[in-house]
Amino acid sequence: MRWRHRVRLAVNLVNGSTLAGLAVARAGRARLAPLPDGLQVAVGYRLPVPSAPAFTLGNLILTRHAELDSGSTLFRHEARHANQYAWCGGLLMLPCYFAAAGASWLLSGDVGAWNPFERLAGLADGGYRDRPLRWPARNSAT
């Protein structure tokens, strides 16, 4: 494992985000499996929220799917979110993420299109589409 992945693993353990992910995986009756780069996947997640096909808490990627291919674009996208948990102080990322998702929805009608966390993780890799800004004043100036 590369040193940066070891640092991410340690930071996300210390900041509690991976432990929170393990608790959510248990609540969602998901099965754990190892992934490369110090990440783990919780497959078969059963809770109805969030509605996304996969999401990340610390170094744990949770998915409703039966497996997650470590070569997939979705894996790369979620691995970038694991980095974001380390950079943002762990669970402190969640209110920042939700605020960014709300702002993105107000700006474009989509929670991911203008969310900087999703843009930095790769919109297309996460199944998001780039959408134009929707400004109410844009059409009223004519």
Side-chain angles (χ1 to χ4, degrees), residues 65-89:
H65 300 302
E67 63 181 15
L68 179 63
D69 178 13
S70 63
S72 69
T73 57
L74 182 59
F75 169 77
R76 288 194 304 270
H77 176 87
E78 297 301 332
R80 291 180 196 120
H81 283 314
N83 292 338
Q84 293 169 353
Y85 274 95
W87 297 335
C88 293

Side-chain angles (χ1 to χ4, degrees), residues 66-142:
E67 63 181 15
L68 179 63
D69 178 13
S70 63
S72 69
T73 57
L74 182 59
F75 169 77
R76 288 194 304 270
H77 176 87
E78 297 301 332
R80 291 180 196 120
H81 283 314
N83 292 338
Q84 293 169 353
Y85 274 95
W87 297 335
C88 293
L91 296 176
L92 294 174
M93 177 179 152
L94 292 176
C96 297
Y97 180 90
F98 292 129
S104 177
W105 183 82
L106 288 172
L107 292 170
S108 68
D110 182 84
V111 296
W114 289 93
N115 181 332
F117 292 101
E118 295 300 347
R119 291 181 87 77
L120 289 169
L123 284 178
D125 290 349
Y128 295 98
R129 292 183 313 152
D130 199 4
R131 294 184 185 235
L133 293 174
R134 61 176 185 180
W135 293 100
R138 182 171 54 194
N139 293 333
S140 64
T142 57

Side-chain angles (χ1 to χ4, degrees), residues 1-79:
M1 185 180 341
R2 293 182 176 165
W3 69 270
R4 65 181 179 190
H5 297 137
R6 290 179 197 271
V7 170
R8 177 183 64 196
L9 177 66
V11 169
N12 282 338
L13 280 172
V14 170
N15 69 29
S17 58
T18 298
L19 296 175
L22 291 170
V24 171
R26 183 178 180 123
R29 299 190 314 248
R31 183 178 48 83
L32 297 178
L35 288 171
D37 304 332
L39 298 171
Q40 288 191 15
V41 64
V43 295
Y45 177 76
R46 298 179 187 164
L47 295 178
V49 291
S51 61
F55 65 101
T56 301
L57 285 167
N59 273 34
L60 185 66
I61 301 169
L62 297 98
T63 181
R64 294 176 186 351
H65 300 302
E67 63 181 15
L68 179 63
D69 178 13
S70 63
S72 69
T73 57
L74 182 59
F75 169 77
R76 288 194 304 270
H77 176 87
E78 297 301 332

